[in-house]
Structure formats: C-alpha cells, structure tokens
Amino acid sequence: MKTLKVLTIVAITGLIGATAVHAGPACKENDKMCEKRKDNRADMKEIFQQLELTTEQQSAMKENRKEMRSLMKEKRAQRQAKRGMSDMSKFVSANGFDKEAFIAEATQKAESKIEMQAARFEKTMNILTPEQRVKFVTLLQEKQK
C-alpha cells in the first residue's frame, strides 16, 4: 500500500508536468521555461514509448487525451467569458475589496484544475499494467535525475 502511494505521487508529479507542457503556447525566442516544457514533453513521450503499450492501451490513452482536451476547451470557454475586470466586481464594493472571497475563489479554481489533472493521470495509470507502472516510475525517476 505504501509503495502504491509513492508510485502514485511520483506519477502524478510527472503528469502534472506533462499536462503543463501541453497547455503552454508556442515558445518564443530564448524562452528557457518554454524549452524546458518541450523537453519534459519529449521525455514523457519517450517514457511511454518504452512502456510498450498494447494497441488497446494506446487507443485508451488517445481517448483519455481526447476527453481531457474537450473538457479543457469547455473550461477555457467558461474562463474567457469571465475574463477581465467584469468578474472582479463581485469582490469590490463601496466598503473596499473582499480579499477573503477573492482568495477563496482563486483557491477553488486552482483546486479544480489540480483535481482534473489528478483524475486524468489516475485514468492514465489505470490503463497501465502493474509491471508497466513500476517501469514507468523507474523511467520517470531516471529522467528527473
């Protein structure tokens, strides 16, 4: 049980990094952070290639990515509808700025994003066999060194 928790934590960390890589825009010249995300994405792709996934697993992974993309597209549309100062009016009144409410909403949004990433990664890990999970963790740890 303890080993499974450690594997899950390591795997979630890797997935969050990989998810962040896919969410970013194209790199600008001399953008070291963007280049690092591209390198991380290439590392994750290499790791999954080394896992020797079956065709069923590959199609399940594609479906998982497709689901996440559509969910992210939907969430992005919702966020853009609230973009700018129009959403800030609920935190500002004649009495001042409601800092606690602002922080609570920002925290809730961050937690929602993390929950989505964790759910996606959990689905990914559930697609892998126990042997592939062990190999995944080993490869991920090697890449992080």
Side-chain angles (χ1 to χ4, degrees):
M1 187 69 173
K2 194 173 188 179
T3 305
L4 181 60
K5 284 183 182 178
V6 171
L7 292 176
T8 303
I9 290 170
V10 170
I12 287 173
T13 303
L15 180 67
I16 289 171
T19 303
V21 167
H22 292 289
C27 294
K28 295 181 178 138
E29 193 173 330
N30 296 323
D31 186 349
K32 291 187 190 307
M33 288 299 290
C34 187
E35 292 298 326
K36 181 149 178 68
R37 284 193 304 265
K38 283 173 65 176
D39 291 344
N40 287 342
R41 182 175 32 198
D43 288 345
M44 289 300 285
K45 186 175 181 178
E46 183 181 326
I47 287 172
F48 276 101
Q49 286 173 343
Q50 291 178 19
L51 293 178
E52 301 170 0
L53 300 174
T54 65
T55 53
E56 293 84 19
Q57 287 175 313
Q58 289 174 355
S59 61
M61 293 280 196
K62 278 185 182 178
E63 187 60 35
N64 190 10
R65 284 191 302 271
K66 194 182 288 185
E67 262 180 49
M68 183 54 76
R69 278 192 198 111
S70 66
L71 183 61
M72 290 302 292
K73 191 174 186 178
E74 180 183 314
K75 294 283 185 185
R76 191 176 302 117
Q78 290 173 0
R79 275 194 324 268
Q80 287 185 350
K82 296 179 182 179
R83 191 169 240 169
M85 296 304 289
S86 62
D87 199 40
M88 290 295 291
S89 63
K90 62 184 170 189
F91 304 115
V92 180
S93 69
N95 297 330
F97 177 65
D98 188 355
K99 181 179 175 181
E100 290 80 25
F102 180 81
I103 291 171
E105 184 169 313
T107 302
Q108 187 274 329
K109 286 178 183 178
E111 286 177 358
S112 174
K113 182 178 178 181
I114 291 168
E115 286 173 9
M116 284 176 35
Q117 290 172 336
R120 177 175 181 234
F121 192 70
E122 183 179 37
K123 285 181 183 180
T124 300
M125 291 303 288
N126 288 337
I127 292 169
L128 301 177
T129 65
E131 296 82 18
Q132 287 172 325
R133 287 184 198 140
V134 171
K135 187 174 181 181
F136 175 80
V137 171
T138 304
L139 293 169
L140 188 62
Q141 289 172 341
E142 286 175 10
K143 289 287 183 185
Q144 290 178 344
K145 290 181 181 178

